Each structure stands twice: as C-alpha cells, then as structure tokens.
Amino acid sequence: ASLAGLFVMISELGINSYLTREIARGPEKALDFMSEVVSLRVPLFAVYFILLNVFTYLVKYDLFQIVFLSSIYIFFDQLYQCFGALFLAMKRVSYNVFTGVSTRILLVGFILIVVATKGTLTSVVTCYILANFVMVLIAFVLMWRKIGKIGLVWNPDSAKTILKASFPFFVLGLLSLIHFKIDSIMIGFLKPYS
C-alpha cells in the first residue's frame, strides 16, 4: 500500500486541491472544472496503473497480484476524491458524509462475509474495491442529480493550466508522503512483507 500510495502521486499531482480552490472561487463553473479535471485524471491514472504494476512485476513479483488489486482500489478512491473535492468546494459536505458512512458500513458487511467464509487477503482487497466502486457510483449519482452533469473533454491548454496551478500542491503532497511512508517502503525492500 505504501508503494501504491507513492506511485499514485503520478495521477494526483495536486489536482484535487486545485479543483477545490477553483470551484470555491467560481462555483458557477464547477461542472466545467470537474469535467476538465476528470478528463485529465483518467489518462494520468492509466500511466500510474501501468508504471506501478510493471515496476511491481519486475521488482517484487510475489506482490504483483495484491498490488494490481490495490491499484484498482486506489483508482476508485482517487476518482472519488475528485467528487469529494467538488462537494467540499460547493459546501455540500453532507454528500461526502453520506457517501463515506454508507460505503464503510457496506465494507464492514463485505468483510464480515469474508471472515465468516475464511476468505483470503485477495478477498479482503476485493471487498475494498467493491466498496470504493459503490462509493464512486453514489457520488456520481449525487452529483448528476443534485449538481449537474459532466462530460469528458480534452483541452491541452486547460490541462497545462491545471498542471501548472496544481504543481505546488503536488510538491507539498509528495514531500509529506515521502516523509510518512519512506520507512515502510524501505523495510519492504530490505525484508519480505510476509
């Protein structure tokens, strides 16, 4: 998870903080900002997914299956973070609370089923993936019905503007992540995770 968290910075790049700030400044353009950010994050996530999984396959093959599943979990988590930033900036925190609490209750139910059936670590990670998928689905429906619709758009000038404005947030987030996770990553390379 520490390795996946470090690699996820490739797809995040401080964009969620940028999204929150820009929507708070101009809520009338919230759906336009959201469309641009999601359109930028999807290809960035594809790069993250490929780099992380190829790196794991080549360096720590014994962890490949778990890292692969973890990267799917993180995709849904990161996609939800875009919705969370939108809700926060539009002062609709109750949407975040409802989505978060309901999916955590669902996750507990999934985990109880896995424990009762003596499931594996893969089963537990799959529960997290399902819970995060439901979280994104709920957030999407809330946004669609209560705020409005978004679409995928690609504008290179807008992408450059977003990346430039979000870069300071990226640097701050990367330094914090390195500070808090580097010990776990180093121990994992020096000693097997099992």
Side-chain angles (χ1 to χ4, degrees):
S2 294
L3 185 63
L6 190 59
F7 269 83
V8 82
M9 295 300 291
I10 294 168
S11 78
E12 206 278 325
L13 296 174
I15 294 172
N16 289 336
S17 297
Y18 165 81
L19 180 64
T20 302
R21 185 183 71 185
E22 291 304 311
I23 291 174
R25 281 184 185 170
E28 68 282 352
K29 296 180 181 179
L31 295 173
D32 294 334
F33 285 130
M34 185 70 173
S35 295
E36 292 171 353
V37 164
V38 169
S39 299
L40 178 60
R41 292 287 312 271
V42 169
L44 288 173
F45 186 81
V47 170
Y48 151 79
F49 186 83
I50 292 166
L51 286 177
L52 174 64
N53 287 294
V54 167
F55 177 81
T56 305
Y57 185 84
L58 295 174
V59 175
K60 278 287 204 186
Y61 181 77
D62 54 322
L63 294 176
F64 178 71
Q65 181 183 20
I66 293 299
V67 170
F68 178 80
L69 291 173
S70 294
S71 61
I72 295 170
Y73 159 78
I74 288 173
F75 167 73
F76 289 122
D77 182 64
Q78 287 297 306
L79 187 56
Y80 175 75
Q81 295 303 320
C82 292
F83 290 105
L86 171 71
F87 298 153
L88 180 64
M90 296 195 70
K91 299 180 176 106
R92 309 239 178 130
V93 178
S94 61
Y95 296 174
N96 279 338
V97 172
F98 172 75
T99 305
V101 170
S102 61
T103 55
R104 293 307 160 222
I105 291 170
L106 183 65
L107 177 61
V108 168
F110 287 157
I111 298 293
L112 289 174
I113 292 169
V114 168
V115 169
T117 60
K118 298 184 185 346
T120 63
L121 177 60
T122 303
S123 303
V124 172
V125 175
T126 303
C127 291
Y128 276 86
I129 292 169
L130 290 173
N132 272 11
F133 173 76
V134 170
M135 185 166 58
V136 168
L137 192 61
I138 291 170
F140 182 79
V141 169
L142 281 171
M143 181 201 64
W144 193 272
R145 289 184 177 216
K146 303 287 186 178
I147 299 171
K149 301 174 182 178
I150 64 167
L152 294 179
V153 295
W154 181 250
N155 180 343
D157 293 330
S158 174
K160 286 178 190 174
T161 301
I162 292 170
L163 291 173
K164 184 178 176 183
S166 65
F167 186 73
F169 297 117
F170 165 69
V171 171
L172 183 61
L174 183 62
L175 291 173
S176 297
L177 186 67
I178 289 170
H179 175 73
F180 289 111
K181 299 288 185 174
I182 197 69
D183 58 337
S184 300
I185 293 169
M186 289 176 66
I187 289 171
F189 280 105
L190 297 173
K191 184 178 178 185
Y193 284 101
S194 56

